[in-house]
Amino acid sequence: MVDQLSRAQDEFRELDEMAAGRSVIHRLHPLCKLIVTIAYIFCVVSFHKYDFSGLAVMLLYPVVLFQAAKIPMHVCFYKLRMVLPLVCAVGLANPFLDHRPVILIGNLVITGGVVSMLTLMLKGCLALMASFLLVATTPIDRLCGALRKVHVPKTLTTLLLLVYRYIGVMLGEASAMVQAYSLRAPGQKGIHVKAWGSFLGQLLLRSADRAQELYSSMLLRGFCGEFFYSEVPACGVGSVLFTGGSMAFFVCARLVNIAQLIGTWVVK
């Protein structure tokens, strides 16, 4: 378990290093990337439950951006390996609830439950991929700085920054506690059920003490309710073109079934 927490800390640090890259996607304005990501997720969610072919076209957006950002796609699936099964499990009951035939391929009948299950799974995967792209190509301080420029309340941006920054601190505290527990109970795998309550209580108390120490350090360094975020560059032509082009693609993919048009053109 200590090794797992150490790996989690390393992966969190790797995500920060990934966000500090220098690709063309990394250089885009953070607010533009946030707006496009939110629009993409809304567009993906709005597809009909049987429109799997139309939704599949939306896969082009993360695939192209992964290539442009020079981030291997398997890294995304590896980082999200704990969340993806939960997302995919959401629609597993659909084939048992919807038996209406939708697609006929020879003698094979595909019901609406199967199609809706696949569509729901794809929606979850696409939303997670888009969110990962935003985090993996945008440093959190630049994102918070961009939000402040559009007058998002400083309480929200400060909370977002602190939660993101001090996840690593909490992982460190949990790792130290697990290591101390393993030294007191050699040969035992994991934490015994009887110790779960006291372990979580100690973690809460240690986190509160550490938070108080961090807050005192922030006050000594002149914190007065708002951080001085890193300088956010002006929104350039590339960011505007990226935002406009992405929005146009989303609208086109949502209103027109591009996959069906391509299939019809190929058949002809």
Side-chain angles (χ1 to χ4, degrees), residues 5-50:
L5 289 172
S6 298
R7 284 198 298 270
Q9 286 181 283
D10 293 338
E11 290 181 15
F12 198 76
R13 194 181 311 110
E14 289 172 1
L15 192 61
D16 277 340
E17 294 174 356
M18 200 182 302
R22 296 182 176 276
S23 71
V24 62
I25 303 300
H26 288 82
R27 291 194 294 268
L28 293 173
H29 197 275
L31 188 59
C32 293
K33 287 187 282 186
L34 177 63
I35 293 173
V36 170
T37 301
I38 294 174
Y40 177 80
I41 294 175
F42 270 106
C43 185
V44 164
V45 173
S46 67
F47 274 84
H48 192 268
K49 63 179 180 179
Y50 295 145

Side-chain angles (χ1 to χ4, degrees), residues 49 90-99 111-114 116-117 120:
K49 63 179 180 179
V90 173
L92 289 179
N94 288 21
F96 303 100
L97 301 175
D98 187 356
H99 302 282
T111 63
V114 174
S116 63
M117 178 189 68
L120 188 59

Side-chain angles (χ1 to χ4, degrees), residues 68-248:
K70 300 178 181 178
I71 299 176
M73 192 171 294
H74 67 84
V75 174
C76 171
F77 294 110
Y78 179 76
K79 299 286 187 185
L80 300 175
R81 64 190 180 279
M82 301 299 293
V83 185
L84 283 173
L86 299 177
V87 171
C88 293
V90 173
L92 289 179
N94 288 21
F96 303 100
L97 301 175
D98 187 356
H99 302 282
R100 184 168 67 91
V102 175
I103 302 175
L104 180 63
I105 305 177
N107 295 325
L108 179 63
V109 177
I110 301 178
T111 63
V114 174
V115 176
S116 63
M117 178 189 68
L118 296 176
T119 303
L120 188 59
M121 289 180 176
L122 184 57
K123 284 182 180 181
C125 292
L126 292 177
L128 287 176
M129 291 170 69
S131 303
F132 178 82
L133 266 171
L134 176 65
V135 176
T137 58
T138 313
I140 189 63
D141 55 339
R142 284 198 171 190
L143 182 59
C144 291
L147 291 174
R148 285 298 297 138
K149 283 185 176 296
V150 292
H151 305 290
V152 173
K154 62 182 180 182
T155 303
L156 295 179
T157 57
T158 301
L159 183 62
L160 174 64
L161 181 62
L162 290 178
V163 168
Y164 184 87
R165 284 299 183 198
Y166 294 112
I167 288 177
V169 176
M170 188 185 70
L171 289 175
E173 293 292 332
S175 178
M177 289 180 61
V178 170
Q179 187 172 10
Y181 180 88
S182 62
L183 291 175
R184 290 175 173 82
Q188 181 176 310
K189 293 183 178 180
I191 301 173
H192 197 273
V193 177
K194 294 181 179 179
W196 284 5
S198 59
F199 184 87
L200 291 176
Q202 286 294 325
L203 180 60
L204 178 61
L205 293 174
R206 288 169 65 96
S207 300
D209 292 340
R210 189 64 183 273
Q212 185 60 45
E213 294 175 0
L214 291 169
Y215 182 65
S216 300
S217 301
M218 290 160 56
L219 292 177
L220 291 173
R221 288 168 173 79
F223 178 74
C224 56
E226 184 174 7
F227 289 102
F228 294 100
Y229 302 105
S230 62
E231 186 64 26
V232 178
C235 185
V237 177
S239 298
V240 174
L241 292 176
F242 167 75
T243 304
S246 299
M247 294 295 186

